[in-house]
């Protein structure tokens, strides 16, 4: 049993899909184990709510399981899962746009950690929290097509090619959207000069 599980852990995502299509339920469970956390963080960044992110994550894997026979073998499983997750999040945002806008003011939204070595005094700690909150609000306020590329690139650390494959867009479009997103973030974060300079200096 352990040997079989060890082999499953060593299998590629694509091999696991083949095994799942052949009726091996544990193979799809291994895919979920590998990608559930990443998909959850992506959904959290896009939706700003842990409950909504958990629901979107569950729906992502349910949709993936239902659509396994339609998986294109030349695609990467990771890109396929991210694309399903993005579509799930966009659908939720469209369906609950008013609710999503109200949630921007809630403290339980997505938090994007930023290093701040100056946070050594209470005053600096307050400033650091304000900066994190400012970035959170600024990212959440971006249009969905810009927000998703920022989250994928900056917080998921996906490459331009991976983002392009996930969103089924040309790499040039991904870069253009990221450039536009950084410009908008810079304007929104002018109060925090360091943060504005950081985003202004990004090279695509």
């Amino acid at each position: 049993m352990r040997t079989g599980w060890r082999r499953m852990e060593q299998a590629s995502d694509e091999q696991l899909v083949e095994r799942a299509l052949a009726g091996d339920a544990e193979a799809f469970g291994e895919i979920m184990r590998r990608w559930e956390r990443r998909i959850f963080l992506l959904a959290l960044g896009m939706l700003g709510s842990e409950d909504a992110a958990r629901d979107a994550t569950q729906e992502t894997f349910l949709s993936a399981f239902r659509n396994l026979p339609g998986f294109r073998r030349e695609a990467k499983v990771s890109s396929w899962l991210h694309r399903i997750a993005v579509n799930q999040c966009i659908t939720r945002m469209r369906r609950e746009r008013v609710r999503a806008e109200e949630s921007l003011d809630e403290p339980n939204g997505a938090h994007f950690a930023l290093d701040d070595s100056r946070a050594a005094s209470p005053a600096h700690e307050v400033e650091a929290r304000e900066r994190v909150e400012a970035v959170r609000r600024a990212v959440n306020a971006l249009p969905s097509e810009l927000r998703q590329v920022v989250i994928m690139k900056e917080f998921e650390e996906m490459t331009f090619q991976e983002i392009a494959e996930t969103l089924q867009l040309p790499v040039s479009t991904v870069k253009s959207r990221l450039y536009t997103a950084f410009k908008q973030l810079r304007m929104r974060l002018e109060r925090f000069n360091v943060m504005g300079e950081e985003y202004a200096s990004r090279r695509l």
Side-chain angles (χ1 to χ4, degrees):
M1 186 71 175
R2 289 182 179 178
T3 301
W5 183 253
R6 191 157 49 243
R7 287 176 181 170
M8 189 171 295
E9 286 184 323
Q10 295 171 351
S12 69
D13 292 337
E14 290 70 29
Q15 288 172 331
L16 289 174
V17 166
E18 294 293 340
R19 293 169 71 162
L21 285 170
D24 187 346
E26 290 186 359
F28 191 78
E30 173 64 12
I31 292 175
M32 288 185 62
R33 186 191 68 79
R34 291 181 184 183
W35 291 102
E36 187 172 20
R37 180 64 177 169
R38 290 287 297 274
I39 296 299
F40 170 77
L41 291 175
L42 172 64
L44 178 60
M46 292 188 67
L47 299 174
S49 162
E50 290 189 5
D51 288 340
R54 277 192 287 269
D55 289 344
T57 301
Q58 291 176 359
E59 288 298 324
T60 294
F61 285 105
L62 283 173
S63 178
F65 185 75
R66 287 194 296 264
N67 291 286
L68 270 178
F71 173 69
R72 292 181 294 109
R73 303 303 193 275
E74 67 271 17
K76 290 177 61 176
V77 172
S78 57
S79 297
W80 181 60
L81 290 174
H82 276 82
R83 183 162 60 250
I84 294 173
V86 167
N87 289 336
Q88 287 289 338
C89 291
I90 290 174
T91 298
R92 284 176 173 273
M93 287 188 291
R94 287 173 179 166
R95 191 169 57 224
E96 303 177 11
R97 183 168 298 170
V98 173
R99 184 177 177 183
E101 289 174 356
E102 292 174 351
S103 73
L104 293 177
D105 295 325
E106 295 179 3
N108 292 327
H111 292 275
F112 303 116
L114 300 172
D115 291 331
D116 192 339
S117 57
R118 297 177 301 160
S121 69
H124 285 152
E125 289 178 1
V126 170
E127 181 184 354
R129 285 196 297 271
E130 289 179 349
R131 284 155 56 87
V132 169
E133 180 65 13
V135 172
R136 183 186 72 82
R137 287 175 178 271
V139 172
N140 283 345
L142 289 171
S144 60
E145 68 272 12
L146 301 183
R147 180 164 68 248
Q148 63 193 21
V149 295
V150 170
I151 291 168
M152 290 179 179
K153 188 71 175 69
E154 297 301 306
F155 306 113
E156 286 290 297
E157 298 183 348
M158 295 171 67
T159 66
F160 287 120
Q161 186 61 43
E162 288 172 336
I163 297 171
E165 291 175 0
T166 296
L167 300 178
Q168 296 183 312
L169 294 170
V171 172
S172 59
T173 301
V174 172
K175 291 184 176 182
S176 176
R177 288 187 181 182
L178 194 62
Y179 177 75
T180 301
F182 284 156
K183 282 177 61 179
Q184 291 192 20
L185 286 173
R186 181 187 180 189
M187 289 187 291
R188 294 176 184 277
L189 296 167
E190 283 180 347
R191 177 183 169 190
F192 298 93
N193 293 329
V194 173
M195 193 51 63
E197 291 170 3
E198 177 184 336
Y199 279 107
S201 64
R202 294 299 175 89
R203 296 181 181 273
L204 301 183

